[in-house]
Every structure is written in C-alpha cells, then in structure tokens.
Amino acid sequence: MAEIEIGTETEKHNGWSYEVRVFEEGRVLSFAVTLSFADYDLWSGGSIPPSRVVHKAFLFLLKNEPATSILSKFDCSIIRRYFPQVDQELPKMSI
C-alpha cells in the first residue's frame, strides 16, 4: 500500500494548496494539489481539516488508478471528471 504525505498547507483566495508525496514500491511521486472551499464543504461538511480531505482524495484515487497515472498538478475538482462517483464515495471513506 502506498504511503501518502501531505505537505504544508497554503490558504488561497478560493481554497488551499498542498504539496503531496506518494511513496510506492521504492518510488516517490510528487504532486501539486489544490482543494476549493466548495469541494471541501461538499466532501467533509467542515468536519475534518482540509488536509485530511486531500488525504482521502488520494486514497480514493489510488483505489481507482496507479499513482503513476495521477496528474502531477491538479485541483481536486478534476477527480469527478474521471470518477463521477467521487462525490458519493469520498465523504463515506474513513482514514
């Protein structure tokens, strides 16, 4: 199982940005990720920190595709373009 490391959180005008690293099979993959206030509210209802929502988003992605297929820079909203079920599944996921 891959290990996910969420880096420093930076608040932006419409959400947060993170540097995320995934450690898998001796490789380290780096990602620049943003999470909007709207997706944060949709996926967590404000019940957990935004960094935990990003962590859950990566768990969701890794359940559905290899780490090497994940875009190196993206906003979390793009996930629903590839996996429309994210809005139903991600809020139910536990970490």
Side-chain angles (χ1 to χ4, degrees):
M1 178 100 182
E3 180 184 336
I4 302 163
E5 178 183 276
I6 307 297
T8 305
E9 177 180 287
T10 304
E11 190 165 341
K12 304 285 187 178
H13 68 281
N14 64 343
W16 301 269
S17 65
Y18 298 89
E19 293 297 322
V20 178
R21 296 192 321 167
V22 174
F23 301 86
E24 183 177 61
E25 298 175 0
R27 293 178 295 194
V28 180
L29 301 164
S30 297
F31 304 91
V33 181
T34 56
L35 174 67
S36 71
F37 294 136
D39 284 327
Y40 170 69
D41 288 339
L42 177 65
W43 291 339
S44 75
S47 64
I48 59 175
S51 61
R52 299 302 283 171
V53 174
V54 171
H55 191 268
K56 287 173 66 169
F58 269 85
L59 289 174
F60 175 86
L61 286 169
L62 292 169
K63 182 179 95 173
N64 288 286
E65 65 181 341
T68 54
S69 294
I70 300 172
L71 298 170
S72 62
K73 183 177 181 177
F74 66 95
D75 182 80
C76 287
S77 65
I78 195 96
I79 298 170
R80 69 177 57 86
R81 181 182 301 168
Y82 299 99
F83 304 103
Q85 71 274 24
V86 69
D87 290 338
Q88 289 75 41
E89 292 183 18
L90 194 139
K92 297 175 187 173
M93 293 176 65
S94 61
I95 298 178

